[in-house]
Amino acid sequence: MQVQDTPEEWRVVATTTPFTGKKTSVRTDDVVMPDDSVARRDYQVHPGSVAVLALDEQDRVVVLRQYRHPVRQKLWEIPAGLLDVPGENPLHGAQRELYEEAHVKAGDWRVLTDLYTSPGGSDEAVRIFLARDLAEAEGERYEVSDEEADMELARVPLGELVRGALAGELHNSCLVAGVLAVVAARAEVGGLEGLREASAPWPARPFTA
């Protein structure tokens, strides 16, 4: 048996959009089940996101601490953001987020992992990149506002983040998935050099060059 997610689409007999926000919306679909019954499913429609596990030469990860109102916590996270432009190359989005949130650039980019954040209630897809060969970005820092105005920036040893994730002290999904994926990749034949190229196809969010 090959363990691999596969495309499939059950028949939708009715659909509405009861809420439309600035970046996301809520859709309600009436979906035909295998027994021919119809079930209603509400879910968030999301443009997709990118996140960056930026790893420096001292094996430290660039992280930031930001207030997240829905969970009423300040979370340690890795740089991340929305794919604002339909069809945008996710690498370009990741490079932009690393610059805007950490004022850092990277010379080596690879795909670390792809995931759905909450597939039972949202179609949000995230591509997490590994960025290495870090340097400070040129020019002035990006002007921040709202929650980002209170953001803290740090470089934390990878091992400390792994420990915190496993201890239940760190909860951001991209940070947890990213640091554990780095550890797993290093244990595989080929190590980090065996990761997919930064331009690897992403069926969940097809993009142009």
Side-chain angles (χ1 to χ4, degrees):
M1 181 181 66
Q2 185 176 16
V3 182
Q4 179 177 330
D5 298 335
T6 55
E8 185 165 341
E9 188 168 352
W10 293 1
R11 186 161 62 97
V12 175
V13 295
T15 185
T16 60
T17 304
F19 170 79
T20 301
K22 183 178 179 181
K23 296 292 185 180
T24 67
S25 60
V26 173
R27 181 176 297 161
T28 298
D29 288 344
D30 291 342
V31 186
V32 179
M33 297 289 112
D35 63 357
D36 288 330
S37 64
V38 175
R40 179 157 291 177
R41 294 290 179 262
D42 303 315
Y43 59 99
Q44 180 194 38
V45 178
H46 194 285
S49 305
V50 289
V52 185
L53 195 294
L55 191 64
D56 71 14
E57 68 282 354
Q58 298 179 47
D59 216 34
R60 299 177 303 175
V61 178
V62 176
V63 292
L64 49 94
R65 189 168 180 245
Q66 186 171 349
Y67 176 66
R68 294 301 187 183
H69 186 70
V71 296
R72 308 302 199 270
Q73 290 193 34
K74 271 192 169 182
L75 301 182
W76 284 103
E77 307 178 352
I78 56 177
L82 299 177
L83 290 171
D84 295 312
V85 181
E88 179 182 18
N89 187 321
L91 175 60
H92 300 164
Q95 291 169 332
R96 179 185 65 243
E97 294 301 329
L98 185 61
Y99 165 74
E100 290 182 356
E101 295 193 345
H103 201 64
V104 167
K105 63 180 181 179
D108 183 82
W109 290 84
R110 296 177 186 272
V111 175
L112 189 53
T113 191
D114 299 324
L115 55 87
Y116 291 112
T117 56
S118 183
S122 173
D123 70 350
E124 181 183 8
V126 180
R127 169 157 281 189
I128 304 178
F129 288 90
L130 174 66
R132 294 179 295 172
D133 187 17
L134 306 184
E136 185 171 354
E138 295 90 356
E140 296 183 3
R141 288 185 173 272
Y142 181 77
E143 186 175 347
V144 297
S145 60
D146 300 326
E147 291 93 342
E148 291 183 351
D150 188 51
M151 196 164 58
E152 302 170 47
L153 192 65
R155 294 196 182 195
V156 178
L158 176 65
E160 177 64 16
L161 296 176
V162 171
R163 186 205 62 78
L166 298 179
E169 299 169 358
L170 300 171
H171 306 90
N172 176 264
S173 60
C174 290
L175 183 147
V176 172
V179 299
L180 296 182
V182 167
V183 173
R186 282 178 168 171
E188 293 291 320
V189 175
L192 299 181
E193 305 306 320
L195 291 170
R196 287 173 290 164
E197 296 293 327
S199 59
W202 188 18
R205 291 294 184 274
F207 59 92
T208 54

